[in-house]
Amino acid sequence: MTVAALMAFSGGQIFPSLRGSVATSTQTSGATFSVTLPTHQANDWILVEVSVESDDNSNVLSVNSGGFTEVGESTGGVDVNIAVYAKQAAGSSETLVLNNSIGKPISAHAYAIKDGDGVEAAFTSSDTSNPPSLTASWGQMKNLWFVGGANGAGGNFSGAPSGFSGFTENGDLGAKTSSAYKEDEVATLNPGAFSGAGGGQEAGCTVVVRPT
C-alpha cells in the first residue's frame, strides 16, 4: 500500500503534490498563445500562471480553447499583468490556448498537481514585487501554496519569498514570469516579496490548492 493510500485509509490528510517539473513557455508576439502544459493524468489539477505585457490595460487575456477557468488577474494600471488559469484534467492530453488582445510578449508557468481539490487566488492591484495575503475559504488544511510574479520592461527577480521552493523564472524582457511553491498547514498566508526586483513594473499573485 502506498503512503497516500495508507493516509486515506487511516482518515489522514496529505498535501497536494507536483506530478513533475514546471512547464514553461514564452512568445514575443501574436494574437494567440499555446501554453506548454506539463505531463498530467486524469483528475490532476493543472495550474497556469501567465504574465503578459499589458500597456497598462486590464483583461488582455481570455481563453481561446481548452476549457480552463480564469481564476483571476492582477489590476492597477501597470505595464505587466499576471493571470491564473486552472482546470481539473479529464485525461492526459489537455491543452490551453489563450487570446492575447494586444499581441505583446507573454510567458507562462504550468504545474500538474496530484491530490488537489480546488484552487483560489489573490492578486496585486499596484506596482509591487510582494504577492498579496490570501485566506483559503476552506480554512486550515494541508494546503499547497504558490506565488507568482510578473516583471516587465527588462526587470527580473532573483529569488522567491522566504520559505518557498522551486524558484523558476522565464520569459521575454516585456513579460517575465516567476513562480515558486510551499506546503503549509495554515488558512492564511502572507508570502513576502520576491527578491532582486528592479528595472520594470511588477505584479504578483498568491494561489492555494485545497487537499482532497
Side-chain angles (χ1 to χ4, degrees):
M1 182 177 290
T2 65
V3 172
L6 181 61
M7 290 291 291
F9 178 78
S10 64
Q13 188 181 80
I14 61 174
F15 285 101
S17 61
L18 303 186
R19 182 163 296 282
S21 302
V22 60
T24 63
S25 47
T26 188
Q27 182 174 288
T28 56
S29 64
T32 61
F33 176 51
S34 296
V35 178
T36 300
L37 300 182
T39 299
H40 54 274
Q41 297 181 13
N43 298 317
D44 286 353
W45 278 87
I46 304 176
L47 173 68
V48 182
E49 297 179 347
V50 184
S51 300
V52 60
E53 185 176 337
S54 57
D55 288 351
D56 299 342
N57 296 303
S58 296
N59 301 315
V60 170
L61 302 176
S62 60
V63 175
N64 177 291
S65 64
F68 278 69
T69 296
E70 183 178 287
V71 182
E73 181 182 3
S74 63
T75 59
V78 297
D79 61 14
V80 64
N81 286 0
I82 190 165
V84 170
Y85 297 85
K87 180 181 183 179
Q88 188 170 27
S92 59
S93 57
E94 299 290 344
T95 61
L96 172 59
V97 178
L98 297 174
N99 297 312
N100 183 357
S101 64
I102 60 176
K104 292 295 185 74
I106 186 171
S107 60
H109 290 180
Y111 295 89
I113 302 161
K114 301 179 290 183
D115 303 313
D117 191 28
V119 174
E120 294 182 345
F123 297 84
T124 55
S125 57
S126 62
D127 176 11
T128 178
S129 62
N130 191 353
S133 178
L134 172 62
T135 298
S137 65
W138 51 81
Q140 182 177 345
M141 300 177 74
K142 291 186 181 297
N143 295 318
L144 180 62
W145 301 83
F146 291 82
V147 285
N151 232 308
N156 65 280
F157 298 121
S158 60
S162 177
F164 282 79
S165 301
F167 173 75
T168 303
E169 182 178 69
N170 81 298
D172 182 85
L173 293 178
K176 288 187 176 180
T177 300
S178 298
S179 66
Y181 51 86
K182 70 179 293 189
E183 298 174 347
D184 206 336
E185 194 172 353
V186 295
T188 300
L189 188 68
N190 191 357
F194 283 93
S195 60
Q201 291 189 317
E202 300 145 357
C205 65
T206 304
V207 184
V208 62
V209 180
R210 179 177 180 160
T212 53

